[in-house]
Amino acid sequence: MKYWNSAGLGKQNNSMSAETRCAHARMLSIAWKVAAVVWALVIFHLSTGAYGLSFTERLLAGALSFLHLTIPAPGFEVLHHFVRKAAHLAEYAVLAVLLCTSSKEPPVHWRPRRVLGCFLIIVVYSLTDEYHQSFVPGRHPSSTDCGIDSIGGAMGILVFYVNYLRLRAICPPTSPLTGGG
């Protein structure tokens, strides 16, 4: 009997009972859910005043200095804006992948309802994050950021789906590995 290991690849293991596989799937599901909650807390922490414009400005200036690059002030402002928005995309893409992966099912199962639920969690979390920023000195809520966060979540779901298709190509649905046939 084959089962899914943490890398998503099939392994031969005849001694693993259905009950053991179920317990293994539950443990992986819990681990992915904990990872998603921890990542959500990281996002929350990044929304505090310590990580505002001045922080990313210093970080970007330091990176450019390290690379011995100089950019005129207007170009730096544009680059700084794009770096901050790219960070929004990345934060929520990672959260989406963690949420989509946190199922008790093997990773090859694509469940549109579950994915829609993950996307709704992303959107609601983004809204609450922006609401939280309304109480943080030096920060302000932005509906544009909510949109960018949602797009990042959709990109994470797309990454999850592409991985699903890749795994499905390796192990077709009729394979014992995917629970079919």
Side-chain angles (χ1 to χ4, degrees):
M1 179 113 216
K2 291 188 177 187
Y3 70 95
W4 285 98
N5 64 17
S6 60
L9 303 173
K11 244 188 197 176
Q12 194 69 29
N13 187 346
N14 294 327
S15 64
M16 190 178 226
S17 70
E19 190 174 300
T20 304
R21 283 190 307 277
C22 223
H24 180 73
R26 272 194 305 277
M27 292 295 287
L28 281 176
S29 173
I30 290 168
W32 284 109
K33 285 177 176 126
V34 167
V37 168
V38 167
W39 188 251
L41 291 171
V42 167
I43 292 172
F44 182 83
H45 182 69
L46 292 173
S47 295
T48 61
Y51 299 98
L53 287 170
S54 61
F55 173 79
T56 54
E57 189 175 85
R58 284 190 315 270
L59 192 65
L60 182 59
L64 291 173
S65 174
F66 177 76
L67 296 171
H68 303 289
L69 297 173
T70 55
I71 298 177
F76 181 84
E77 288 177 20
V78 170
L79 179 61
H80 183 229
H81 176 77
F82 280 111
V83 165
R84 288 185 61 81
K85 299 313 167 192
H88 277 267
L89 285 172
E91 289 172 354
Y92 282 84
V94 169
L95 183 59
V97 169
L98 291 172
L99 287 171
C100 287
T101 308
S102 69
S103 172
K104 291 179 188 169
E105 302 163 3
V108 295
H109 289 285
W110 173 256
R111 299 285 188 244
R113 271 180 121 177
R114 181 185 71 206
V115 172
L116 178 61
C118 291
F119 184 72
L120 291 175
I121 289 170
I122 295 290
V123 170
V124 169
Y125 191 74
S126 172
L127 290 168
T128 60
D129 185 46
E130 293 301 319
Y131 180 70
H132 160 248
Q133 288 184 27
S134 69
F135 299 103
V136 176
R139 302 298 295 263
H140 64 280
S142 167
S143 57
T144 301
D145 285 350
C146 283
I148 292 170
D149 297 342
S150 299
I151 291 169
M155 289 170 56
I157 290 169
L158 180 64
V159 166
F160 177 80
Y161 184 67
V162 167
N163 188 52
Y164 157 76
L165 292 176
R166 183 186 64 82
L167 289 174
R168 189 174 168 133
I170 294 170
C171 307
T174 56
S175 162
L177 186 57
T178 58

